[in-house]
Amino acid sequence: LPELMPQDVAAQLMAAGVVPMNGLTEAIAAAQVAAALTDIVHEAPLPAGVDRDGALLSERDAKTMLQSYGVSVPQVFDAAIGPEEHSGPFVVKGVGFAHKSEMDAVRLNVAKADLDAVAADMPGDDVLVEAMITGAVAELLVGVVRDPAHGFVLTVGAGGVMTEILQDTQSLLIPSDAGTVKTALSRLKTFPLLTGFRGKPTADLDAIVAAIMGVQAFVVARHDRIEEVEINPLMCTPHAAIAADALIRIAPERT
């Protein structure tokens, strides 16, 4: 037990892969859980590391970072120039709000002719104009939080504005392989939406898993700086999985 031995000895044991237990009752409970596990863990969880004070990136920067790890994002247009090559519809967002819908900072299905008026009516000092993602059969949440006790926790679940009400999520530790991610998705109550519920089109499950694995790869690459990552919603269509909104809280690089 770590409370009965010097800290340096406990640290050496943990470094060697020995997990100290804080009490016999806890040790027995952990053994019971381990005995019931059916999924094989191939890699040790990514450690949380030291505490850090993450800053919130802009949605533009967050999407650019995630896109570099293979996550699909909507096409972005310069509102001042106008999307001449795209007929619409569009999404117009006020920039700088963590919960845009609560601030009336999101307008969907905006026609090309209405872009200037809608952009001028947005709260805040900046707007983001994107191509509207159509044909989605479901919206998912993909989130990662740094937990000092467990490392980095990856959560997948029902997304969109109803996330808090539905509370339909599954959580995994990072790293998790693609098979484990797919199993977690299959355990969601809303999973039938991805597989053609009542004759509806099926979502591209491989694209969804690839997007989630891209988020995980991003976190692993910057684990010493990441505090939080969230995509909500991930728009799941029959041919793609696209991050319609993204949030990243990250600490600055150490010098």
Side-chain angles (χ1 to χ4, degrees):
L1 301 181
E3 64 268 22
L4 300 180
M5 65 179 70
Q7 284 189 338
D8 58 336
V9 175
Q12 291 176 23
L13 288 172
M14 287 188 286
V18 178
V19 180
M21 298 290 181
N22 291 297
L24 183 58
T25 301
E26 290 77 9
I28 294 173
Q32 288 176 326
V33 171
L37 291 176
T38 57
D39 297 329
I40 299 175
V41 178
H42 297 284
E43 295 185 66
L46 185 66
V50 299
D51 290 342
R52 74 285 311 258
D53 186 13
L56 186 66
L57 297 184
S58 70
E59 182 178 344
R60 284 191 186 93
D61 290 343
K63 285 180 174 176
T64 298
M65 280 191 168
L66 292 173
Q67 188 177 32
S68 68
Y69 282 82
V71 179
S72 297
V73 301
Q75 185 176 2
V76 179
F77 302 97
D78 188 331
I81 298 174
E84 297 179 358
E85 73 281 13
H86 199 289
S87 60
F90 301 94
V91 177
V92 181
K93 303 177 183 180
V95 175
F97 304 101
H99 300 286
K100 299 179 184 66
S101 58
E102 295 177 7
M103 299 298 297
D104 194 27
V106 179
R107 307 290 170 80
L108 306 177
N109 288 307
V110 178
K112 188 173 184 177
D114 298 329
L115 273 178
D116 289 342
V118 172
D121 192 44
M122 280 286 105
D125 300 323
D126 192 13
V127 296
L128 182 63
V129 178
E130 297 179 327
M132 179 83 179
I133 306 303
T134 59
V137 299
E139 299 180 5
L140 292 180
L141 161 76
V142 181
V144 176
V145 294
R146 174 186 166 272
D147 185 324
H150 301 97
F152 290 86
V153 180
L154 168 66
T155 299
V156 296
V161 296
M162 302 294 285
T163 296
E164 291 84 0
I165 295 176
L166 294 175
Q167 295 186 351
D168 180 21
T169 61
Q170 293 285 318
S171 293
L172 306 166
L173 291 178
I174 290 178
S176 290
D177 60 33
T180 302
V181 169
K182 189 173 290 188
T183 298
L185 290 170
S186 71
R187 291 172 177 165
L188 296 175
K189 297 174 184 176
T190 48
F191 181 69
L193 295 177
L194 303 177
T195 57
F197 183 68
R198 292 190 175 180
K200 298 288 186 179
T202 60
D204 188 335
L205 194 57
D206 289 338
I208 296 169
V209 173
I212 296 170
M213 297 303 288
V215 172
Q216 177 176 257
F218 168 72
V219 171
V220 170
R222 290 172 169 78
H223 66 275
D224 59 333
R225 298 171 55 203
I226 290 294
E227 186 71 28
E228 178 185 9
V229 179
E230 181 177 287
I231 295 175
N232 188 20
L234 181 72
M235 306 294 288
C236 305
T237 78
H239 308 292
I242 303 171
D245 201 352
L247 175 153
I248 293 176
R249 202 177 299 277
I250 186 170
E253 290 188 72
R254 297 175 184 174
T255 57

